[in-house]
Amino acid sequence: MTADSTACSAIVEGVRRPVPAQPACVVAPAARPVVEVAAGPAQAQIVIVDDDPAVLETLRVHLEDAGYRDLVLVDQSSRAMDVLRMSPPDLLVTDVRMPEVSGFDLLAQVRSDPRLAHLPVIVLTSASDAPTRLEALRLGATDFLAKPVDPSELLLRMRNNLAVKAYQDELASSRQVSDRLLLSILPEPVADRLKRGETVADHVHDATVLFADLVNFTDFAARTDAATVVRLLNEVFRVFDQIVETRGLEKIKTVGDAYMLAGGVPTRRPDHARVVVDAALAMLSACDRLRDQGHADFQVRIGVSTGPVVAGVIGTSKFAYDLWGDTVNVASRMESHGLPGRVHVSDSTREAIAEHFITEPRGVLEIKGKGLMTTWFVKGKRG
């Protein structure tokens, strides 16, 4: 072994045994030059497990001649899983008949590890009977070669397996991107249900809905350049998003300068009213802070109501998770009938938060579609 080849391959072993100078008995003559078979190997890491150092050395020579440089050779099968878990490779080549851990046992361990579940595995063995081949395939081998191995055939099979893995990696990467996009639109539990092919339509018996609206934003937008409008609105809504996320609530949507969130959907929680009102007070404080810092000079008007809602996903090309029902309508009315810098809540919300917040009566209001309603302002937390 030359100094260069030593640098290119890693030998993982217990006791290094002498390597025969001409191990011709374990590798059949190549049908044509090996270099012609390899189609420009990528920077792929290959792990080869075999208890015979002569086989390892011979395979190393042929693979390095073909351009593979990142090779890890393991002659103690009991250490193979440690090697694979330490740095999952692009391809595993393993013998079957090994004294410590057989190739079949190793294959079973590989397939039970989520990180290695899709690792291409080429099985090499001197056994040529059908039961051995069938067992290797049953355990998840992606390819099979009998010894003595034709290096040209091995290289072709390696190239094909690596090409399949490259496609699988690309598919997995694309799936991760699509999952991230889906999660940016939908709550995670809802996205998971959609991916399983479910129709998302739920009747939620108890939830709390909040609407927040920036006061006089329409007039501001009419006399301000578009870039400034978008920048300031983004500053406010980015802070609102943080308030929602840290409290485990769900942002439903924004419409213009209106912001809608909910508690108790899609994941049920008994404290939804308390947490939503806490978020409402935090949103008021955030707007005061932004105004004091000279960023966004807006006041916010907030309305909250508690009760049953219908929740579901609408749309086919553009998904949207939304809420419907009387509770949503009342929350919207609480906002539109509220005052700047105040949290205006319905009687149902006031009852749900009475132990945790101080409220004062707003009085009896005529609410469109509801008639006369007693409503409340939240003054602050108790204690």
Side-chain angles (χ1 to χ4, degrees):
M1 184 185 302
T2 65
D4 290 340
S5 63
T6 302
C8 295
S9 301
I11 309 296
V12 181
E13 58 189 350
V15 179
R16 181 66 181 275
R17 287 163 283 187
V19 178
Q22 295 181 335
C25 60
V26 295
V27 180
R32 53 191 182 281
V34 172
V35 177
E36 293 180 8
V37 177
Q43 299 301 314
Q45 185 181 79
I46 315 295
V47 171
I48 306 175
V49 183
D50 198 303
D51 64 320
D52 189 339
V55 174
L56 292 176
E57 178 65 13
T58 303
L59 292 177
R60 180 193 66 76
V61 170
H62 284 291
L63 293 182
E64 288 185 353
D65 283 348
Y68 292 92
R69 293 290 183 265
D70 194 356
L71 305 175
V72 180
L73 312 180
V74 185
D75 71 353
Q76 288 188 353
S77 57
S78 60
R79 300 182 62 186
M81 281 302 296
D82 291 336
V83 173
L84 294 170
R85 287 172 176 146
M86 185 181 303
S87 179
D90 297 294
L91 177 67
L92 169 63
V93 179
T94 182
D95 189 20
V96 170
R97 294 177 177 174
M98 296 181 288
E100 296 173 321
V101 177
S102 74
F104 289 160
D105 291 337
L106 176 59
L107 188 53
Q109 293 177 38
V110 165
R111 291 298 178 238
S112 66
D113 189 316
R115 295 179 65 199
L116 304 171
H118 301 290
L119 175 68
V121 180
I122 299 177
V123 171
L124 307 179
T125 181
S126 56
S128 59
D129 57 291
T132 300
R133 291 174 178 266
L134 291 174
E135 181 65 7
L137 295 173
R138 185 188 70 80
L139 290 171
T142 53
D143 217 332
F144 193 103
L145 275 175
K147 293 181 179 179
V149 177
D150 180 342
S152 299
E153 184 179 2
L154 174 61
L155 287 169
L156 281 173
R157 292 179 183 271
M158 285 177 55
R159 185 182 65 184
N160 291 342
N161 276 272
L162 289 170
V164 171
K165 184 177 186 297
Y167 287 126
Q168 289 176 334
D169 290 346
E170 184 177 357
L171 181 62
S173 178
S174 298
R175 186 180 297 113
Q176 290 175 353
V177 171
S178 64
D179 285 348
R180 285 196 297 270
L181 289 173
L182 194 60
L183 291 176
S184 70
I185 301 170
L186 301 174
E188 184 173 359
V190 173
D192 289 341
R193 290 172 63 184
L194 280 182
K195 287 189 288 185
R196 292 195 297 267
E198 297 182 25
T199 298
V200 179
D202 302 314
H203 183 85
V204 181
H205 294 287
D206 198 26
T208 299
V209 180
L210 177 153
F211 283 91
D213 187 77
L214 299 181
V215 180
N216 296 326
F217 185 85
T218 301
D219 293 339
F220 168 80
R223 53 185 168 78
T224 308
D225 65 277
T228 301
V229 171
V230 172
R231 177 178 60 81
L232 293 179
L233 190 61
N234 188 52
E235 282 189 27
V236 176
F237 283 179
R238 184 170 62 245
V239 175
F240 286 2
D241 288 347
Q242 292 171 351
I243 291 170
V244 169
E245 183 176 352
T246 56
R247 287 164 176 75
L249 300 172
E250 193 61 49
K251 174 183 178 181
I252 303 301
K253 61 184 175 182
T254 61
V255 180
D257 60 320
Y259 190 103
M260 178 184 179
L261 67 87
V265 291
T267 303
R268 310 294 191 265
R269 56 184 301 173
D271 60 349
H272 53 83
R274 178 178 64 81
V275 179
V276 168
V277 171
D278 181 69
L281 294 175
M283 292 164 80
L284 293 182
S285 297
C287 283
D288 291 342
R289 188 167 56 254
L290 288 171
R291 187 168 54 253
D292 292 342
Q293 294 171 351
H295 292 289
D297 188 11
F298 298 123
Q299 281 191 305
V300 64
R301 188 173 55 229
I302 296 177
V304 182
S305 188
T306 300
V309 298
V310 173
V313 174
I314 57 173
T316 53
S317 59
K318 291 185 178 181
F319 297 110
Y321 181 71
D322 211 343
L323 307 179
W324 303 271
D326 189 59
T327 300
V328 176
N329 294 332
V330 172
S332 178
R333 301 298 182 221
M334 292 300 99
E335 179 274 310
S336 61
H337 287 73
L339 296 177
R342 304 300 300 270
V343 178
H344 189 208
V345 304
S346 66
D347 203 45
S348 60
T349 300
R350 187 253 180 185
E351 290 180 6
I353 65 170
E355 293 184 17
H356 304 282
F357 295 90
I358 301 170
T359 57
E360 62 181 14
R362 170 73 189 279
V364 178
L365 299 179
E366 179 76 28
I367 303 297
K368 182 179 179 181
K370 296 295 294 182
L372 296 176
M373 290 185 66
T374 301
T375 64
W376 307 78
F377 283 131
V378 178
K379 294 186 64 176
K381 296 181 181 180
R382 292 191 182 277

